[in-house]
Amino acid sequence: MTLLAVDNLCVGYQTRKGFIEAVEGVSFVLKRGRSLGFVGESGCGKTTVGMALMRLLPDNASIRQGSIIFEGQELLAMPAAQLRKIRWKKIAMIFQAAMNALNPIHRVNDQIAEAILAHDPLATKASAMKQVEDLFSLVDIPVDRMRDYPHQYSGGMKQRAVIAMALACHPALIIADEPTTALDVIVQDQILSAVKKFQKQMNISLIFISHDIAVVADVCDDIGVMYAGQLVEYGRREEVFEAPVHPYTKALLASYLTLDGDVVQPMPFTGVTLNLIDPPPGCRFCDRCPLSDAACSLDAPEYAEITPTHKALCFRCK
Amino acid sequence: MQDIKSEILRIEHLYKVFKSGRSFLGSTQKEVVALNRISLSINRGEIFGLVGESGSGKTTTGRLIVKLEEPDDGKMLFDGRDITSIKGKALKGFRRKVQMIFQDPYQSLNPYFSLYDTISEPLLVHNIGDIKAREDVVRQVMTSVGLAPADDFFYRYPHQLSGGQRQRVAIARTMVLKPEFIIADEPTSMLDATISIQIFNILSEIRKKHNATFLFITHSLAAARYLCDRIAVIYRGELVETGSAEDIIQSPQHPYTQALVEAHPRFRCPSP
Ligand SMILES: Nc1ncnc2c1ncn2[C@@H]1O[C@H](COP(=O)(O)OP(=O)(O)OP(=O)(O)O)[C@@H](O)[C@H]1O
Ligand SMILES: Nc1ncnc2c1ncn2[C@@H]1O[C@H](COP(=O)(O)OP(=O)(O)OP(=O)(O)O)[C@@H](O)[C@H]1O
Ligand SMILES: [Mg+2]
Ligand SMILES: [Mg+2]
C-alpha cells in the first residue's frame, strides 16, 4: 500500500546572488513498511527533500511545483492546523544537525520522556521513563548516563539520544537525515540493526538520507541517487548497487574506501559542482562525466527506463 | 626541508577527567576519565591518525592540544617546548601555528557571520594581509575545498548551507593561516565518498607543499588507511595500539581493534 507519493518536486532558495534550484523534478513512491535511501554528493538536495516532506523549509525557500501525497492527502495543500497533527505524530524527522537538537538545559532522559508524554495521552510519567530506559538500551547509552546534560555526551552519544527521541512517538514514516554520521562502525552497525528491527516490528516506513552508500545499502530496499538537485538514478537496492548505470553512481561506488585490496584510485573529479543558480540547460553532470559528448550539454536528459523499477537520468545509458 | 623524524608534538601521560551527572548536592556526581594517561609522539610532516569509537576521547585529545581544555595531569611538548601551561603572547603565537577543524560544523560556525567573514576572520585576528590580499586567500582556499564559485558563497550564512558545505567552510577556515599543525576532527564525516577523497587529497597536498603535520581524528579505519602514515587506536581513554594502518588492519592486536576491523562494512562495488 502506498504511503507516500512524491511527484515532480521542485524546491529552490532565494539568495542574494539569485535563485538556487536546489531540487528539480524529484519523483518517487514509498510503500508502507518499506525503506528508501537517498545518497548523493554534499549539497545535492537531500535535506531539502526531507524538509519539504516535513513542510519545514526555511522562509527563503519555495516549492515551485510538484505534489506530495501522504496517506492519500496532498501535504502541499494542507492548512497548518492539519499539518501539525501529522508532523511528528505521523512523520518524524531526525535532523542532520540532530546532535544539537537536544536542549542544553534539560537532562537527556527528561527531554525524551517529555516528548513521549506530549504525544501519547495514555502515558504516565513512570511509563514514559520506562520507555526511555528501553530506548536508551536499544541505542546503547549506559543507563547511568541517562541523567546527564547534552554537553556531557560525546558526539556519538548525542546522536544516539536523538534517534531514541524520534522513535519515541511511533510515527508511520521516519525521515532520518544522516543519523549515523558521527558514529563509529561498531555503534553504527548496532544502530542500523536497531532501526531495521523497529522498522519491521512497527511497520514504519523509512526515508534514510546518507552520503555513505554502505549505510543505505545495509538498510534500504530502494535507492535514490541524487546529483545537483536531481534524482539521477532510482531503483531497487540490487539494481542500483549491482548494476549501476549512471556515471555518477558508478563514481560513487568506485570511490568507496575499503580495508582490503588496493587503495582506490578514485575517478578524478576535475570540474566543480554545478552552480545551481541558473544551471545550464543540458545534463547537470556532463562537465564531470567521463562518457559525455557535446550533445549532453545541449538538452536536459529524460529518464531512461532500465527495468520497470529502475530508471536513470542520462543520455548514454539507454 | 624534509628532515628525518623530527618530532613536532609529544604528549606524555595526558590525563583528563570530566565530572558528570552533577546534582546540586553533589551526591550523584560521577567522574568520567576521558583520557587515561596517554602518550604519543608525532613527527613533522606526518599524517597521524587517531582512531576510536564514539566517546573514546578523540576530540578531548584535540581540544587539549589546542588548549581549549586544561589537562588534569601530564605534559605536552610542541617543537621541543613545553606548552602545557603557556599563556598570553606565547599562546597566541602557538594558536597561529596549530589549528583545529572542529568535528561538528553545526556548532562551530558562528551563525551571525557570513562565510566570507568566517573564513577571513583568522587572518584579521592575526593581522595578516590587506583587504585585497585577504580576499584572494579566501577565494583561493574556498575554491580548493570545492566551495565554488567562491563569490556566490561569500555572503551566505551557515544556515543557508548544506551539512557538507558547512564542513568545507570549517576546513577552509583553518587553512587560511597555513598552520604547521592541523588537528582534523572527523573532517569529512558529512561528505560523500568522492568529495571525501578530494578533501583527503587536498590535505595530502598541503602536507607536501608546506610540510604540514596532521592529527587526523576519525572512526573510519578505511579513511585512516587511505590517508595516514601511522595510526593510534584509542579505546576508553587509553591508547591500545600504534603502528602503520596497514599492519593494524592486517593483524589487529587489541580486541577492540579486531571488532573495528570486523564491523567495517563489507560493501563490495561491482566491477566496472
Ligand atoms: N536556507 C538556504 N538558503 C539558501 N540556500 C540553501 C539553503 N539551504 C540549503 N541551500 C542550498 O541548497 C542546496 C541543497 O542543500 P541541502 O541541504 O538539501 O543538501 P544536502 O544534499 O542535504 O547536502 P549535505 O549532504 O551536505 O547535507 C545546497 O546548494 C545549499 O547550499
Ligand atoms: N565537557 C564535558 N563534560 C563531561 N564529560 C565530557 C565532556 N566532554 C567530553 N566528555 C566525556 O568524555 C568522553 C570522551 O569524549 P570525546 O568527545 O573526547 O569522545 P570522542 O572520541 O571524540 O567521541 P565521538 O566520536 O563521539 O566524537 C565521553 O565519555 C564524553 O561524554
Ligand atoms: Mg543535508
Ligand atoms: Mg569527537
Side-chain angles (χ1 to χ4, degrees), chain A residues 11 31 61-62 85-86 89 116 156 172 204 222 227 245 271 278 301 304 310 312:
Chain A
V11 188
K31 293 214 167 77
S62 51
K85 292 193 189 134
I86 289 187
K89 281 168 227 166
I116 294 171
I204 293 178
D222 301 317
Y227 184 84
V245 291
D278 280 328
H310 187 187

Side-chain angles (χ1 to χ4, degrees), chain B residues 226-239:
Chain B
Y226 183 75
L227 190 63
C228 300
D229 306 306
R230 282 191 306 148
I231 62 177
V233 179
I234 184 171
Y235 182 64
R236 303 206 171 150
E238 305 195 20
L239 290 192

Side-chain angles (χ1 to χ4, degrees), chain A residues 42 181 183-184 211 241 261 263, chain B residues 54 168 189 191 219 225-226 270:
Chain A
S42 160
T181 24
L183 307 176
D184 61 277
H211 63 277
F241 289 133
V263 172
Chain B
S54 155
R168 284 180 271 181
S189 60
L191 301 173
H219 53 245
R225 173 177 183 247
Y226 183 75

Side-chain angles (χ1 to χ4, degrees), chain A residues 99 145 148 151-158 160 182-184, chain B residues 16-20 32-35 52-61 63 69 103 185-186 217-219 234:
Chain A
M99 284 158 106
R145 300 293 300 272
D148 281 8
H151 77 273
Q152 295 170 319
Y153 276 9
S154 74
M157 290 169 82
K158 279 190 239 174
R160 282 180 267 170
L183 307 176
D184 61 277
Chain B
K16 179 72 189 172
V17 187
F18 290 108
K19 313 260 186 288
S20 109
V32 176
V33 178
L35 288 181
E53 67 178 345
S54 155
S56 57
K58 304 183 296 294
T59 298
T60 304
T61 307
R63 289 175 59 89
E69 209 92 64
Q103 177 170 12
D185 193 357
E186 311 264 15
I217 296 176
T218 181
H219 53 245
I234 184 171

Side-chain angles (χ1 to χ4, degrees), chain A residues 16-17 20 40-43 60 96-97 99-100 107 144-145 148 152 154 156-158 160 181-186 211 213-214 217 241-242 244 248 251-253 255-261 263-264 266 269 272 275 277 288, chain B residues 19-22 30 32 52-55 104 106-107 148-149 151-152 155-156 160 162-165 168 188-195 197-198 200 219 221-223 225-226 249 256 259-261 263-265 267-270:
Chain A
R16 258 170 80 164
K17 290 282 180 173
I20 299 179
E41 189 174 57
S42 160
N60 67 329
Q96 183 167 13
M99 284 158 106
N100 308 319
R107 295 178 195 280
D144 67 339
R145 300 293 300 272
D148 281 8
Q152 295 170 319
S154 74
M157 290 169 82
K158 279 190 239 174
R160 282 180 267 170
T181 24
L183 307 176
D184 61 277
V185 285
I186 295 175
H211 63 277
I213 41 176
F241 289 133
E242 280 158 29
Y248 174 67
L252 202 56
L253 292 168
S255 310
Y256 191 76
L257 294 173
T258 56
L259 290 185
D260 47 15
V263 172
V264 289
F269 264 8
V272 293
N275 187 358
I277 299 171
R288 288 167 135 186
Chain B
K19 313 260 186 288
S20 109
R22 192 191 306 263
K30 239 175 34 64
V32 176
E53 67 178 345
S54 155
D104 179 2
Y106 280 90
Q107 223 159 24
D151 293 65
D152 277 7
Y155 302 106
R156 283 220 232 158
Q160 299 176 319
S162 75
Q165 286 166 341
R168 284 180 271 181
T188 66
S189 60
M190 294 182 181
L191 301 173
D192 77 285
T194 62
I195 299 184
I197 287 188
Q198 253 177 47
F200 293 162
H219 53 245
L221 268 179
R225 173 177 183 247
Y226 183 75
I249 291 162
Y256 170 70
L260 201 60
V261 172
H264 197 271
F267 178 77
R268 279 271 145 267
C269 57

